[in-house]
Amino acid sequence: MSLCSLPTELKLMIIEPFRLVHQQSPGSGQDAITDRDQGASTKTLACLARVSTSWHAIVIPILYTIYTSPQSRYPRYSLATPPLAVLYVSRNQDLRNFLDTVRRRPQLIGHLRKLALGDWHRPMALAHRTEMLALIAHAPRLHHISLRSCSLSVLDASNHLVVLHWIVPSRAGFRPTYDTWLECMRSLAHLRATLQVLHLDGEAVEGFEFNQGIHLKGFEKLHSIRIQQQLLFGRRRVNAYSLKELLPVDLKRLEISVCTLPLFPALEGVLMAQCFSKLIFLAVISFWVLKPRRVWKTTFLSFRKTCSDEGVESRVINQIRQV
């Protein structure tokens, strides 16, 4: 039996391992998935699509479910000055090829569900940016966008986005100014009626000292948030009242990273006041440690007891940063 004459069920079984890797996001916590693994799986799927018309019909919808820009396949930079090769990969040739393909074959847009674009807007010509916005506006099944950028203008074209993963750059010359931050908040506000999952992270805490935090109270369907403390509060005082005013009422999962000590009593306050009655999971990830350590130990025990009493699953991940 030749490869072309295999039953559809066997073809799907052959494709499945490559599909799983292709549709994962490198660097998002999956230990076994790297950018090299994903690139290899994508190439394998592309080769299978060329075997025959029957293979093509099965593989193409899977292949175009997700587009991952080469710029988004790199982890967040730890260097003070990122290498230019990472930021300007062949002047975004890979992304331009993708746009050219979907322009020639518009039926492929219907398969697109996720875009991982990285810092897409900087090296692109205005014509390609306009083309990308048009693609997003006409992709009926697109529900997930991942960005590492100080601009959220790409969101202006979408009124049906469900998942947003946004890494805010903090490097000199790349971090958002106060004006661009306000523009980002206006773009984010377009998703009030649809956004369900928000992962908002920063490459570092420095440089995010804005007067206002991020107001997510009016996001009707938002039920899962992962965010850095300083991005949430800005220069606001960290207390239970601020948490109540900034977060949506129907929140189910909340993860806050790079935390300070005042956050714990604030979280306990909103739990005991039952401000978020649907909350089922609460995590504190990575925090600054001030001496004496016995104060932190007492705080953790009190936090865990309050979560247990209120029926909320809690997790404290001890990625400690010394002060």
Side-chain angles (χ1 to χ4, degrees):
M1 182 179 289
S2 67
L3 192 62
C4 296
S5 60
L6 289 174
T8 302
E9 292 78 7
L10 285 180
K11 291 177 182 177
L12 290 172
M13 290 176 65
I14 294 171
I15 292 170
E16 184 64 11
F18 304 108
R19 182 193 69 82
L20 291 174
V21 177
H22 170 68
Q23 294 180 351
Q24 297 271 6
S25 295
S28 63
Q30 296 89 358
D31 295 336
I33 305 301
T34 66
D35 62 308
R36 185 173 299 178
D37 293 333
Q38 189 187 51
S41 293
T42 302
K43 288 180 180 178
T44 301
L45 288 173
C47 291
L48 288 172
R50 300 187 186 102
V51 170
S52 67
T53 54
S54 60
W55 277 93
H56 185 274
I58 295 172
V59 174
I60 285 298
I62 296 172
L63 194 58
Y64 281 88
T65 298
I66 176 174
Y67 171 75
T68 303
S69 167
Q71 297 180 30
S72 65
R73 293 175 187 159
Y74 291 83
R76 291 177 292 161
Y77 310 116
S78 57
L79 302 175
T81 305
L84 290 178
V86 172
L87 294 178
Y88 304 99
V89 181
S90 303
R91 295 182 60 83
N92 247 353
Q93 185 62 46
D94 188 84
L95 182 53
R96 290 203 295 269
N97 290 341
F98 172 75
L99 290 173
D100 290 341
T101 301
V102 296
R103 185 178 64 249
R104 293 194 308 269
R105 302 169 62 192
Q107 70 273 17
L108 296 176
I109 298 177
H111 303 306
L112 188 62
R113 297 186 182 183
K114 178 179 177 181
L115 283 173
L117 296 176
D119 195 8
W120 69 283
H121 70 290
R122 285 184 174 273
M124 287 190 72
L126 179 61
H128 287 98
R129 270 183 270 179
T130 304
E131 205 170 324
M132 172 58 74
L133 295 176
L135 180 149
I136 291 172
H138 294 90
R141 302 176 70 185
L142 178 65
H143 70 275
H144 186 155
I145 290 181
S146 177
L147 295 169
R148 181 173 57 244
S149 170
C150 64
S151 171
L152 288 183
S153 60
V154 70
L155 301 183
D156 296 342
S158 175
N159 57 4
H160 49 264
L161 199 66
V162 174
V163 181
L164 174 63
H165 181 190
W166 181 27
I167 297 178
V168 187
S170 66
R171 305 180 304 279
F174 290 85
R175 69 171 65 101
T177 63
Y178 182 75
D179 290 337
T180 56
W181 183 257
L182 291 180
E183 290 176 7
C184 288
M185 294 303 100
R186 285 192 287 268
S187 297
L188 191 61
H190 290 158
L191 305 177
R192 284 179 180 272
T194 61
L195 193 65
Q196 297 181 23
V197 179
L198 174 64
H199 183 177
L200 180 53
D201 203 357
E203 293 176 340
V205 176
E206 295 81 12
F208 296 127
E209 298 179 354
F210 301 106
N211 290 327
Q212 298 179 347
I214 297 181
H215 293 263
L216 301 171
K217 185 96 175 167
F219 286 71
E220 303 169 0
K221 297 182 179 180
L222 187 59
H223 60 78
S224 178
I225 299 174
R226 177 169 179 170
I227 192 169
Q228 279 192 8
Q229 176 183 311
Q230 196 165 356
L231 287 172
L232 176 63
F233 288 96
R235 290 183 177 177
R236 280 172 170 260
R237 189 170 182 177
V238 180
N239 53 37
Y241 177 78
S242 296
L243 273 174
K244 182 180 176 182
E245 291 300 309
L246 293 172
L247 298 176
V249 176
D250 294 332
L251 193 64
K252 295 180 180 179
R253 296 178 62 89
L254 176 61
E255 301 177 45
I256 303 181
S257 61
V258 196
C259 307
T260 57
L261 187 62
L263 179 66
F264 289 90
L267 291 171
E268 289 186 60
V270 295
L271 286 174
M272 289 187 290
Q274 296 185 343
C275 299
F276 307 110
S277 58
K278 296 183 179 180
L279 192 67
I280 58 174
F281 179 80
L282 180 58
V284 178
I285 308 165
S286 177
F287 41 84
W288 301 101
V289 172
L290 299 172
K291 297 179 180 179
R293 283 177 175 262
R294 64 178 179 274
V295 176
W296 280 92
K297 185 175 181 180
T298 304
T299 302
F300 291 160
L301 292 174
S302 175
F303 171 72
R304 287 195 174 103
K305 184 178 184 303
T306 302
C307 290
S308 178
D309 292 342
E310 299 299 329
V312 176
E313 181 185 353
S314 64
R315 185 177 303 168
V316 178
I317 301 177
N318 300 325
Q319 298 173 354
I320 298 174
R321 304 184 180 194
Q322 297 288 349
V323 177

